[in-house]
Amino acid sequence: MQTLSFPLFTHSLSFRIHPLSPFPSLTYLSSLSEPYATARRSIQLQASASDSAFASSSTIAVDNSDADDSTAFVIRARSRIGLLQVITRVFKVLGLTVDRATVEFEGDFFVKKFFVTDSHGNKIEDSDSLERIKRALAEAVGGDGDGTVSVTRPAVANPGVVVRRPGLVDGVGERRAKAERMFTLMDGFLKNDPLSLQKDILNHVEYTVARSRFSFDDFEAYQALSHSVRDRLIERWHDTHSYFKRTKPKRLYFLSLEFLMGRSLSNSVINLGIQDQYAEALSQLGFEFEVLAEQEGDAALGNGGLARLSACQMDSLATLDYPAWGYGLRYEYGLFRQVIVDGFQHEQPDYWLNFGNPWEIERIHVTYEVKFYGTVEEIDVNGEKHRVWVPGESVEAVAYDNPIPGYGTRNTLNLRLWAAKPSNKFDLEAYNTGDYINSVVNRQRAETISNVLYPDDRNHQGKELRLKQQYFFVSASLQDIIRRFKEAHNNFDELPDKVALHLNDTHPSLSIAEIMRILVDEEHLGWNKAWDIACEVFSFTTHTVVAEGLEKIPVDLLGSLLPRHLEILYQINFNFMEELKKKIGLDYNRLSRMSIVEEGAVKNIRMANLAIVGSHIVNGVSKLHLDTLKMTTFKDFYELWPEKFQFKTNGVTQRRWIVVSNPSLCALISKWLGTEAWIRNADLLTGLRDHVDNTNFHQEWKMVKRINKMRLAEYIEAMSGVKVSLDAMFDVQVKRIHEYKRQFLNILGIIHRYDCLKNMDKNDRRNVVPRVCIIGGKAAPGYEIAKKIIKLCHSVAEKINNDADIGDLLKLVFIPDYNVSVAELVIPGADLSQHLSTAGHEASGTGSMKFLMNGCLLLATADGSTVEIIEEIGSDNLFLFGAKVQEVAELREKGSTLKIPLQFARVLRMVRDGYFGYKEYFKSLCDTVEIGKDFYLLGSDFGSYLEAQAAADKAFVEPEKWIKMSILSVAGSGRFSSDRTIQEYAERTWKIVPSRCPL
């Protein structure tokens, strides 16, 4: 008989048990079934050596001679309530069967013998397996022996079943009794079988939504359902962050003023792996999951690609088990709702919080004071002069947490959004002076800070509010980060080893000045030491291409709102300039270009220059983008610090853009690949190339596309009243309306197609490929040219869609209020997607990646990430047109001498002459593309554009060729997963490693 003695532990620990080879039921943790996960939670126990009740030793022995058909485990332990059930659950979790058991009592102890077999009914004889079982039992039982064998957490990477003690409190007597009582009351994860889910949903209907469980509508059912899902996210959220807190990995803090999250319900249940269970539970209650999912509004806390990229990156960080937090602002009003009246865009507030947000958790106890205005004074501390900021106004930042679940893992990260609330000082001042009205006004002024996404900054008030937003976000986030760091560390030399701060574009760049203020003014570090720390922790990604688009803040404004920060920025710039002079000499033009402070009629702080100087890595978002940064935008900085500059091509998450938005394609891919592993490893999509010539695969692929086109056609008819043919090519351009994205080029191409059809013989029309042209996107409220493009689209659509001669050969539809949820409908249904930016103006372009993943063919310029898409899928599988990056400057120089196609002149003249109405209104729009003024080269690229459109028509009438191109597009899309992007950031920039929370 072998005997194992083990001590009780004075602290909590997590202990992984390797899967045992004789027990096939012990599977990889990502596929561990819910009963096992519940059992894991059920065997959590608390132990402490200080408790005299456990003074005597416990032992576990193995006897393989007592029976021929089973292995005997002999356990001697102090008797306590529930321990026998704990032991039997351990055996169950390990996939073992208890055939029989005996028990004897020795005073306060029992000696219990369990006769156990493996999942095949065989005796267990492998010594390694026996050792692991004993260690699992030791972890569960606890004891206080002679220390001959210590049970510790093995340093292994292989995941397995986990038996864990929470270790919430230490102590004896009453405190321990209370702790054990809490564990008894909450000893298991929430169950995920349909009956348990139904009970949870109905409980939330009655107690959270406060409706009768016998009478509630779809929206109330959605609210109850969402709270039920959130409960399960919170379980994982707590476990994940408790694990991070205990293991102390280096953490990433992702700072972004924009997160375009879209809807959370479908994404959450898919990542949790319980969509089918919820669907069944709801069906039995008389509801449909898909109908309830439509009740959710979009969380539109951002605008365009950068904001949606942030959301994808949070999903990938969670899925890949990286220890990370996201920080942003909880805008009261999201991106405006776009309403079209008579073809004109009108903006309405997006009251996205009017009906509550079940996914967020308000942390009223997590608040930080954020200060503004005031003066800077000099004080004497131990004979040294220190600068101290005496603010004139303060507000409170209140945290709202949003759990972000990973796929195939229990890791659930946190997106913490800050809301502005008035400081209590306002109320105290009002009480003392009797100025109640002033208190209310101050309260309203404080709350406006986090009210609006992108306040109009064309006037001083708008600029001040935007700067307030940025500093409010930065100050609250850094206070939270530093507080968390100081809980576990007391030496700021360790900060770069434990913290990575990432600036997502220039909006959070004030973080550099703020951390210097904290380290120098509050923590009293020397300037040079503080600066070295700051440069090591910060990294920066720029999403801008041209220098004109880089953010600047007027010095006068910054000095008024943040006087101490302006001093710090001047000091940073002075030190930088002095070092720069030593390296490049007195090249005043270059010194002026690289200075953080821009001199001129209006003196500004260049936020991009600050971010570059204060970061150890500067990231571009595609290879072409980095080349542009190196050669033009940041040429001076690249020549100074070439080692700082990297690129990580943006990516999108296949969980959102295939699994959630295109479930039929998801099922088809899994069927033909023979695995769902591609959902976590998108590189496996290349396996579709093996089936590219399979006719059965083609038929199924075609059916999936038709189903998605039906969904989109139904939406178009419901939204616009336009009935479209499913046999037509669905030609889509959806993105923010901007001159460089060239929606105007698309509309002129549609006019050309319409003009050709009108002048074509009826017999010839039979050979024309029918098209449904779909355009969607929002124009910034002050962007008049973009608004005129939207109006032109509607005017052209009215003419075309009502022309009986044209019929189904050509339709034009504008989709209003384009957002993430609409994208999830449009992208799977598209046949062709247009990405028309003038080469050199799109930093990356993640929209093309979403269409690529859904088997949509691209018609595009060689801009942004399209260059890398060509490398992956081949130029034969998309339709390229237009000038290359290196040709653009030369074409602009030619100006009025450029030769413009006659077709371009004709369609432009149709608009000018009022063929589509509003002749005077469209005059300024037409002026932007006149010869010599055509900055974005619409006329120059028009001929090439028409050729690409003709090539698309030719391919579409060969269905087998089109389907092959579609399959190869998806097969080559794995490189453009945000998982790959995040892994590159983690390894090359942030230096963080996965930290997988055990089950």
Side-chain angles (χ1 to χ4, degrees):
M1 179 179 292
Q2 304 173 28
T3 301
L4 171 68
S5 297
F6 46 92
L8 270 171
F9 299 100
T10 58
H11 59 279
S12 64
L13 55 86
S14 286
F15 166 53
R16 295 173 184 250
I17 308 162
H18 292 281
L20 307 178
S21 54
F23 311 134
S25 60
L26 293 179
T27 55
Y28 188 75
L29 74 89
S30 64
S31 59
L32 197 66
S33 66
E34 183 57 28
Y36 289 170
T38 303
R40 194 280 301 175
R41 188 77 168 244
S42 299
I43 60 177
Q44 295 176 339
L45 299 172
Q46 175 72 19
S48 172
S50 61
D51 191 340
S52 59
F54 293 91
S56 300
S57 64
S58 300
T59 61
I60 295 176
V62 177
D63 187 352
N64 251 334
S65 63
D66 202 37
D68 295 332
D69 57 349
S70 59
T71 299
F73 288 86
V74 184
I75 301 173
R76 180 182 186 275
R78 182 176 294 277
S79 180
R80 62 183 188 273
I81 295 173
L83 184 56
L84 295 181
Q85 288 124 325
V86 167
I87 294 169
T88 56
R89 285 172 184 163
V90 171
F91 286 127
K92 180 180 178 182
V93 167
L94 295 176
L96 306 174
T97 301
V98 179
D99 293 336
R100 61 189 186 282
T102 63
V103 63
E104 297 178 3
F105 290 91
E106 299 176 358
D108 291 338
F109 283 77
F110 68 73
V111 178
K112 190 166 182 81
K113 183 181 290 187
F114 296 86
F115 294 88
V116 176
T117 60
D118 66 18
S119 58
H120 297 296
N122 299 325
K123 192 173 185 175
I124 307 161
E125 297 182 313
D126 177 68
S127 59
D128 288 342
S129 298
L130 292 171
E131 188 68 20
R132 290 168 189 161
I133 297 169
K134 289 189 292 182
R135 286 183 177 274
L137 291 167
E139 175 73 8
V141 173
D144 183 24
D146 57 11
T148 56
V149 178
S150 293
V151 181
T152 58
R153 183 166 58 93
V156 294
N158 292 334
V161 183
V162 177
V163 183
R164 182 176 65 146
R165 294 194 194 94
L168 292 178
V169 296
D170 293 324
V172 296
E174 186 177 350
R175 287 179 63 198
R176 175 160 300 286
K178 290 179 179 179
E180 291 185 348
R181 178 63 176 165
M182 283 190 287
F183 289 126
T184 302
L185 291 171
M186 300 187 69
D187 71 340
F189 284 122
L190 293 171
K191 297 178 181 179
N192 290 331
D193 60 279
L195 180 59
S196 299
L197 295 177
Q198 288 170 356
K199 289 180 179 178
D200 286 352
I201 292 168
L202 292 176
N203 280 339
H204 278 296
V205 165
E206 188 143 349
Y207 302 118
T208 304
V209 185
R211 294 289 292 169
S212 167
R213 61 182 63 198
F214 303 107
S215 177
F216 57 99
D217 60 22
D218 284 347
F219 180 71
E220 290 155 351
Y222 156 73
Q223 289 180 305
L225 169 62
S226 298
H227 278 96
S228 168
V229 176
R230 194 189 76 166
D231 290 345
R232 286 152 177 80
L233 293 177
I234 290 172
E235 283 185 334
R236 291 155 173 79
W237 189 95
H238 282 307
D239 283 356
T240 302
H241 291 282
S242 294
Y243 182 68
F244 290 166
K245 188 172 183 178
R246 186 169 65 253
T247 56
K248 299 182 177 64
K250 182 178 182 179
R251 299 195 198 194
L252 163 72
Y253 295 101
F254 190 85
L255 306 177
S256 178
L257 267 179
E258 298 184 47
F259 286 93
L260 197 55
M261 303 304 293
R263 293 170 173 170
S264 294
L265 176 59
S266 294
N267 191 70
S268 294
V269 297
I270 284 173
N271 277 12
L272 292 174
I274 50 177
Q275 183 182 29
D276 292 342
Q277 293 92 318
Y278 265 114
E280 182 181 347
L282 289 167
S283 176
Q284 293 172 6
L285 292 175
F287 293 92
E288 293 183 30
F289 179 87
E290 291 76 11
V291 172
L292 298 192
E294 288 295 319
Q295 299 294 316
E296 182 176 2
D298 272 43
L301 304 183
N303 172 38
L306 178 146
R308 183 54 226 171
L309 173 69
S310 301
C312 286
Q313 290 181 329
M314 288 301 298
D315 177 273
S316 291
L317 283 164
T319 297
L320 298 179
D321 302 314
Y322 287 114
W325 282 63
Y327 283 101
L329 282 187
R330 181 183 180 266
Y331 300 103
E332 188 76 17
Y333 308 108
L335 186 63
F336 65 86
R337 286 185 62 243
Q338 181 190 52
V339 177
I340 304 297
V341 179
D342 193 25
F344 293 94
Q345 171 180 297
H346 294 266
E347 301 88 29
Q348 292 184 355
D350 176 19
Y351 299 107
W352 76 286
L353 288 172
N354 265 12
F355 298 100
N357 177 17
W359 302 104
E360 68 183 9
I361 304 142
E362 185 181 21
R363 304 289 193 189
I364 56 174
H365 61 287
V366 182
T367 63
Y368 297 98
E369 185 180 19
V370 179
K371 306 164 188 177
F372 302 104
Y373 305 109
T375 59
V376 180
E377 298 178 358
E378 191 170 75
I379 62 173
D380 192 296
V381 179
N382 297 326
E384 294 184 2
K385 300 294 184 182
H386 287 270
R387 305 286 288 172
V388 175
W389 180 22
V390 182
E393 180 183 295
S394 65
V395 300
E396 295 292 324
V398 179
Y400 288 78
D401 288 345
N402 299 261
I404 308 294
Y407 180 89
T409 175
R410 291 196 73 81
N411 278 42
T412 300
L413 300 183
N414 191 35
L415 173 60
R416 177 160 285 180
L417 305 178
W418 302 106
K421 305 293 181 182
S423 171
N424 290 332
K425 293 179 181 177
F426 288 153
D427 296 330
L428 180 62
E429 181 182 345
Y431 176 79
N432 290 337
T433 62
D435 189 1
Y436 170 74
I437 299 300
N438 186 57
S439 172
V440 173
V441 171
N442 284 336
R443 184 181 190 91
Q444 292 174 335
R445 185 169 64 174
E447 291 175 342
T448 59
I449 292 174
S450 58
N451 266 4
V452 182
L453 170 69
Y454 279 126
D456 188 348
D457 59 0
R458 288 176 292 179
N459 54 44
H460 178 80
Q461 285 183 322
K463 284 183 171 66
E464 183 180 56
L465 178 56
R466 184 63 174 165
L467 180 57
K468 268 191 168 183
Q469 280 187 343
Q470 292 184 359
Y471 179 66
F472 172 81
F473 161 60
V474 159
S475 174
S477 300
L478 283 180
Q479 287 184 71
D480 198 41
I481 293 164
I482 295 297
R483 184 266 308 163
R484 190 173 297 112
F485 171 79
K486 290 174 71 173
E487 284 179 353
H489 311 277
N490 54 19
N491 185 349
F492 277 95
D493 288 340
E494 300 177 48
L495 191 67
D497 296 325
K498 293 297 180 182
V499 169
L501 297 172
H502 190 72
L503 308 175
N504 192 34
D505 218 8
T506 57
H507 311 135
S509 296
L510 280 172
S511 300
I512 296 170
E514 174 68 357
I515 205 167
M516 288 299 293
R517 187 190 68 80
I518 292 171
L519 295 179
V520 173
D521 293 2
E522 297 181 2
E523 302 297 336
H524 304 298
L525 271 64
W527 178 275
N528 292 337
K529 183 176 182 180
W531 181 247
D532 289 343
I533 291 172
C535 291
E536 284 189 71
V537 298
F538 280 109
S539 58
F540 165 53
T541 292
T542 176
H543 297 265
T544 306
V545 179
V546 295
E548 294 75 16
L550 297 174
E551 184 181 21
K552 300 174 184 178
I553 298 177
V555 163
D556 290 345
L557 174 61
L558 205 151
S560 169
L561 192 68
L562 303 168
R564 177 58 180 143
H565 295 76
L566 182 59
E567 290 185 351
I568 291 171
L569 290 171
Y570 274 129
Q571 184 65 51
I572 291 172
N573 193 51
F574 175 80
N575 292 349
F576 172 55
M577 288 289 103
E578 291 303 304
E579 288 297 318
L580 194 56
K581 288 174 186 176
K582 295 176 185 177
K583 295 182 178 180
I584 69 170
L586 299 179
D587 183 345
Y588 289 110
N589 286 332
R590 187 175 176 189
L591 288 169
S592 175
R593 292 194 303 267
M594 297 180 73
S595 174
I596 295 170
V597 181
E598 179 187 55
E599 303 292 342
V602 177
K603 189 179 288 190
N604 291 304
I605 299 297
R606 295 172 170 138
M607 302 308 286
N609 290 20
L610 170 64
I612 294 171
V613 172
S615 299
H616 67 282
I617 295 292
V618 178
N619 296 282
V621 292
S622 70
K623 186 178 184 300
L624 184 61
H625 183 221
L626 179 62
D627 290 341
T628 303
L629 298 180
K630 293 192 301 186
M631 291 187 293
T632 56
T633 316
F634 298 141
K635 181 175 184 290
D636 294 318
F637 287 103
Y638 175 72
E639 291 176 353
L640 178 66
W641 294 313
E643 71 283 354
K644 268 194 182 187
F645 286 79
Q646 300 178 356
F647 81 92
K648 288 96 176 171
T649 302
N650 285 343
V652 298
T653 170
Q654 64 271 26
R655 267 85 58 187
R656 169 74 70 166
W657 295 109
I658 300 181
V659 182
V660 172
S661 65
N662 200 342
S664 54
L665 179 62
C666 173
L668 182 62
I669 292 172
S670 297
K671 172 186 173 181
W672 283 87
L673 290 182
T675 179
E676 293 183 346
W678 63 271
I679 300 175
R680 277 182 63 94
N681 182 4
D683 289 340
L684 296 176
L685 290 171
T686 57
L688 293 175
R689 292 169 181 162
D690 298 337
H691 310 290
V692 73
D693 294 316
N694 188 299
T695 55
N696 292 330
F697 187 37
H698 281 205
Q699 284 301 113
E700 293 180 27
W701 193 272
K702 185 177 180 180
M703 183 58 66
V704 164
K705 177 59 70 174
R706 193 165 185 86
I707 289 170
N708 288 323
K709 290 178 73 171
M710 288 173 62
R711 292 169 57 215
L712 179 54
E714 289 171 359
Y715 175 77
I716 289 172
E717 186 174 5
M719 174 270 301
S720 66
V722 177
K723 191 174 181 62
V724 298
S725 169
L726 296 181
D727 296 323
M729 180 197 298
F730 282 20
D731 172 359
V732 175
Q733 186 185 21
V734 283
K735 52 188 70 213
R736 184 165 42 94
I737 308 296
H738 199 289
E739 287 171 274
Y740 89 81
K741 293 181 183 291
R742 302 201 294 190
Q743 285 91 352
F744 191 17
L745 176 63
N746 188 357
I747 296 171
L748 293 175
I750 294 168
I751 294 173
H752 172 75
R753 182 176 289 265
Y754 173 67
D755 186 44
C756 290
L757 285 168
K758 288 292 288 182
N759 292 287
M760 192 180 291
D761 184 86
K762 288 185 178 181
N763 292 327
D764 292 335
R765 289 179 187 169
R766 296 174 184 173
N767 299 320
V768 172
V769 174
R771 289 247 189 155
V772 176
C773 299
I774 300 166
I775 297 176
K778 297 179 181 180
Y783 196 173
E784 288 303 320
I785 292 297
K787 288 188 170 183
K788 290 186 178 186
I789 291 172
I790 292 175
K791 175 57 182 174
L792 178 61
C793 181
H794 283 86
S795 297
V796 173
E798 185 176 4
K799 174 74 75 172
I800 292 173
N801 297 343
N802 294 306
D803 192 327
D805 292 339
I806 303 301
D808 285 341
L809 289 178
L810 184 63
K811 297 291 185 185
L812 174 57
V813 176
F814 185 90
I815 293 184
D817 204 34
Y818 182 72
N819 56 27
V820 176
S821 299
V822 175
E824 291 172 7
L825 188 66
V826 171
I827 291 172
D831 291 306
L832 183 73
S833 175
Q834 299 198 42
H835 304 272
L836 312 181
S837 58
T838 310
H841 284 74
E842 192 74 81
S844 176
T846 53
S848 58
M849 302 171 188
K850 298 164 192 171
F851 283 98
L852 193 74
M853 282 184 175
N854 283 270
C856 176
L857 303 194
L858 305 182
L859 190 152
T861 53
D863 196 22
S865 60
T866 303
V867 175
E868 292 161 72
I869 290 175
I870 295 168
E871 293 173 0
E872 199 65 24
I873 70 172
S875 57
D876 293 340
N877 292 306
L878 71 167
F879 308 101
L880 285 172
F881 79 98
K884 305 295 188 290
V885 173
Q886 60 271 20
E887 299 169 346
V888 169
E890 182 182 347
L891 289 169
R892 283 175 176 158
E893 286 179 9
K894 290 182 179 179
S896 58
T897 64
L898 274 176
K899 186 177 180 180
I900 301 302
L902 292 176
Q903 300 100 317
F904 182 78
R906 175 175 173 79
V907 295
L908 192 62
R909 177 56 56 188
M910 291 174 70
V911 178
R912 274 198 180 281
D913 290 347
Y915 187 84
F916 302 99
Y918 299 90
K919 178 178 178 180
E920 290 303 315
Y921 182 74
F922 293 134
K923 181 179 182 301
S924 61
L925 175 61
C926 294
D927 288 344
T928 64
V929 294
E930 278 294 316
I931 297 176
K933 301 177 184 177
D934 188 6
F935 183 78
Y936 294 108
L937 305 179
L938 276 71
S940 175
D941 280 352
F942 194 70
S944 176
Y945 176 66
L946 295 183
E947 290 174 4
Q949 290 283 13
D953 284 336
K954 184 178 179 181
F956 192 74
V957 296
E958 301 179 51
E960 294 306 309
K961 177 182 178 180
W962 188 276
I963 290 173
K964 279 187 180 181
M965 294 170 73
S966 176
I967 293 169
L968 291 172
S969 295
V970 178
S973 66
R975 175 176 168 183
F976 306 100
S977 167
S978 52
D979 294 350
R980 186 264 316 146
T981 309
I982 287 300
Q983 191 166 353
E984 289 181 3
Y985 270 113
E987 294 172 357
R988 299 176 56 201
T989 300
W990 302 325
K991 307 299 182 185
I992 58 173
V993 297
S995 183
R996 190 176 184 114
C997 177
L999 283 175

